[in-house]
Amino acid sequence: MSLTICNVHFTQQPERIVWFSSPLAKLLKLGGRKSVNVKLGKDIVPATVRTINRKGHHVYMSAGLRRSVRIPKSGNVYLANDEGEEIQLGPLIGVLTDSNTRSSTAPFGDRTGFVRQLLQLGQKKAYFFAFTPRDINWQQETIHGWFLDGGGGWTRRVVPLPDVVYNRLPSRRAEVGTTMTSLRERFVKKRIPFFNWSFFNKSDVYNLLDKDVEALRHLPESVNNPSPEKIKELLEKHQFLYYKPTAGSLGIGIYRLTYHPRKGYFIRYRKNGGNVLLRFSNFNSLMKMLRTRHGGNLSSYVVQQGIRLIEIDSCPIDFRFHMHKDGRNEWVVAGIGAKKAGRGSVTTHIKNGGSLMTPEQALSRTFGAKAEEVLKEAKQVAIKLSEAIERNYPHQLGELGLDIGIDRDKAVWMFEANAKPGRSIFKHPALKEQGRASLEYILDHCLYLSKFRRRDES
């Protein structure tokens, strides 16, 4: 496949005609050809071929052809040609998202800023647009998508079904139900790559990796829906545990349980914006308190071995590794944020009083001269864990957020994997560049999945 960047222009002719500048027609080996199939997304339309004497790589589309193939806008885009009778413009990449609050300037609510950044970065290489589930017309196989206009505002265009869909639906609630399951499956049936299938539950990843020897070395012992007897057994074995809702996020509903043979049982959790620490003389009292707080319903919880993490100022540190598939379909570390727990907090979440720093800052205070070596090892483990999750997951993945801990013996542990990681670590001034790299990886992986890549890049 030959692949080149070309500049697309529009003309007023009603017929279906496509003009190629002389150097481009030569590159595409179109000499003497009278017609060609023009493809965008899943649409293919035949057009008459003409050549225009102009330097550079330019394509002129007649109004009739533009309407038929639904080219969304002029400007630079890739042109792929298999030395056959078809040229393909694109790729056409759709970002699937949604919001409860929408306006003409913020069509995706508080996610609009992220979507705009992604589209701005991608618009010189692809037809990048965003859409919601309501924007799809399955009968006509079109999407009423949102594109950026020249001034950074929003414009709507009807386009064919895309070459790739990047799923950034914002919440578990937005994803559940037969409608969403059907939507995902319809894209897959049409052989349209759809990556980031859905959110993980906390137990999903442990179930996926249950028999993956490579990954198990880095997973704390974890039990889904444990009985009180199991919790007691694990507490006596590990001294402290985390007790988490399987579908939770942002550290909400997490308890830290601790057992001291002489002092009894302790529970730490967050309530009304503050940290609570309670002591119980026996295990049954602790369980009674948990049942009281949850109306007797403690199903959908997972209990996890506590790890003695490295600390700064007596506050535990953990790390968010933001992972991406790149343009070669390989896992890479796009960014790492080190999160220091607030005093007395159960988790390192920023909203719970935690603070953000770079991994170099955190590790140099803990391991001194060996910090670089520890970070290098953690990156290698993060890549191996991402590969293991992908190996055992039935759907397409392109992005992961791994919550990683490092203990005092330099061992690397993974506590959670998020299929649609938040981007809060990139708000740190020192991590802004990594945030931009993360967006570049998304674009590169979309180009890979759409097969719009040069041979020397494959």
Side-chain angles (χ1 to χ4, degrees):
M1 175 191 283
S2 73
L3 189 65
T4 185
I5 292 269
C6 68
N7 197 344
V8 175
H9 311 266
F10 299 129
T11 72
Q12 297 304 314
Q13 280 84 350
E15 305 86 1
R16 292 177 182 172
I17 305 170
V18 55
W19 289 263
F20 296 94
S21 59
S22 306
L24 185 57
K26 187 177 178 184
L27 179 73
L28 299 175
K29 300 181 180 168
L30 293 173
R33 190 177 288 284
K34 294 203 167 130
S35 69
V36 70
N37 287 328
V38 179
K39 184 178 182 190
L40 177 74
K42 292 296 156 189
D43 276 8
I44 303 176
V45 174
T48 302
V49 170
R50 291 193 186 154
T51 309
I52 186 169
N53 191 14
R54 182 173 176 183
K55 289 179 181 176
H57 293 168
H58 295 271
V59 177
Y60 291 79
M61 301 253 172
S62 68
L65 179 58
R66 183 192 179 185
R67 257 194 316 276
S68 302
V69 80
R70 298 187 175 94
I71 305 288
K73 57 182 185 175
S74 58
N76 284 346
V77 74
Y78 277 110
L79 189 151
N81 171 252
D82 249 339
E83 297 179 17
E85 299 177 355
E86 182 179 287
I87 63 154
Q88 183 175 3
L89 295 166
L92 184 61
I93 299 167
V95 182
L96 175 61
T97 188
D98 210 347
S99 174
N100 293 327
T101 56
R102 294 181 292 275
S103 69
S104 57
T105 53
F108 310 107
D110 57 8
R111 286 160 200 88
T112 303
F114 165 65
V115 174
R116 178 182 273 111
Q117 276 184 303
L118 194 53
L119 268 55
Q120 278 173 335
L121 193 65
Q123 64 185 351
K124 289 208 168 90
K125 288 185 177 177
Y127 291 128
F128 235 122
F129 70 96
F131 68 106
T132 73
R134 296 175 300 283
D135 295 326
I136 308 169
N137 184 325
W138 290 110
Q139 284 71 40
Q140 294 183 13
E141 299 200 332
T142 58
I143 295 178
H144 195 194
W146 295 81
F147 287 80
L148 283 179
D149 64 21
W154 296 95
T155 182
R156 307 289 303 270
R157 294 276 185 272
V158 175
V159 288
L161 293 180
D163 296 304
V164 178
V165 176
Y166 170 44
N167 178 17
R168 281 303 301 203
L169 278 174
S171 67
R172 292 167 201 276
R173 195 177 302 149
E175 282 195 332
V176 295
T178 52
T179 312
M180 269 313 302
T181 304
S182 162
L183 180 148
R184 290 186 289 238
E185 286 171 354
R186 277 174 129 164
F187 279 115
V188 172
K189 274 179 190 163
K190 292 181 184 298
R191 298 189 175 178
I192 297 171
F194 184 101
F195 73 98
N196 290 12
W197 190 259
S198 66
F199 285 92
F200 293 152
N201 281 338
K202 289 184 172 54
S203 55
D204 289 347
V205 178
Y206 281 79
N207 293 336
L208 279 178
L209 301 178
D210 190 40
K211 294 182 174 59
D212 197 298
V213 180
E214 179 81 31
L216 282 173
R217 294 171 43 219
H218 301 286
L219 299 186
E221 188 175 2
S222 182
V223 177
N224 205 26
N225 293 336
S227 65
E229 293 74 25
K230 190 65 183 177
I231 296 172
K232 189 167 191 253
E233 177 197 321
L234 291 175
L235 255 181
E236 289 171 1
K237 179 179 175 183
H238 298 298
Q239 270 68 62
F240 87 94
L241 306 172
Y242 286 100
Y243 194 53
K244 314 175 180 185
T246 54
S249 61
L250 301 175
I252 296 164
I254 293 181
Y255 298 90
R256 177 177 161 139
L257 312 179
T258 313
Y259 170 61
H260 290 285
R262 292 182 184 173
K263 296 178 184 175
Y265 296 87
F266 295 81
I267 187 166
R268 196 183 282 278
Y269 62 97
R270 193 131 177 106
K271 183 181 179 184
N272 299 331
N275 298 314
V276 178
L277 175 63
L278 300 175
R279 184 177 81 85
F280 300 90
S281 56
N282 61 70
F283 179 76
N284 290 341
S285 304
L286 181 149
M287 288 309 297
K288 186 179 176 185
M289 174 268 178
L290 280 173
R291 286 197 189 95
T292 304
R293 272 183 64 81
H294 292 274
N297 179 22
L298 286 173
S299 61
S300 302
Y301 261 73
V302 61
V303 69
Q304 189 180 83
Q305 169 191 352
I307 302 294
R308 299 285 173 193
L309 297 175
I310 56 171
E311 294 181 347
I312 293 176
D313 306 326
S314 301
C315 298
I317 303 283
D318 70 12
F319 301 84
R320 164 55 66 89
F321 279 63
H322 201 112
M323 312 294 295
H324 281 287
K325 297 296 287 286
D326 66 7
R328 296 173 182 268
N329 202 32
E330 293 171 356
W331 284 104
V332 290
V333 181
I336 308 169
K339 297 178 292 175
K340 176 184 168 189
R343 285 227 174 257
S345 178
V346 182
T347 72
T348 58
H349 287 88
I350 310 303
K351 288 186 177 177
N352 294 349
S355 56
L356 188 62
M357 59 181 77
T358 68
E360 292 83 3
Q361 287 168 334
L363 291 170
S364 61
R365 287 186 62 178
T366 318
F367 294 112
K370 295 201 170 166
E372 195 177 326
E373 175 194 317
V374 173
L375 183 58
K376 185 180 176 186
E377 169 67 15
K379 285 179 180 177
Q380 288 169 348
V381 170
I383 289 168
K384 282 180 187 170
L385 286 165
S386 301
E387 289 169 349
I389 292 167
E390 183 183 29
R391 204 164 41 236
N392 293 284
Y393 189 62
H395 306 293
Q396 204 144 26
L397 286 170
E399 181 178 28
L400 287 168
L402 305 184
D403 288 338
I404 297 272
I406 299 173
D407 69 22
R408 295 158 191 183
D409 298 321
K410 306 189 188 78
V412 179
W413 300 87
M414 183 182 82
F415 304 120
E416 286 179 29
N418 302 275
K420 294 199 207 164
R423 301 183 60 82
S424 59
I425 63 167
F426 299 127
K427 289 177 182 169
H428 191 288
L431 298 175
K432 284 248 189 311
E433 207 46 52
Q434 295 183 10
R436 184 180 169 81
S438 159
L439 298 176
E440 292 271 14
Y441 284 126
I442 294 167
L443 172 61
D444 289 347
H445 192 56
C446 286
L447 292 173
Y448 169 84
L449 291 173
S450 69
K451 300 188 169 53
F452 273 78
R453 62 193 192 282
R454 299 181 201 281
R455 279 203 182 94
D456 58 9
E457 293 174 343
S458 60

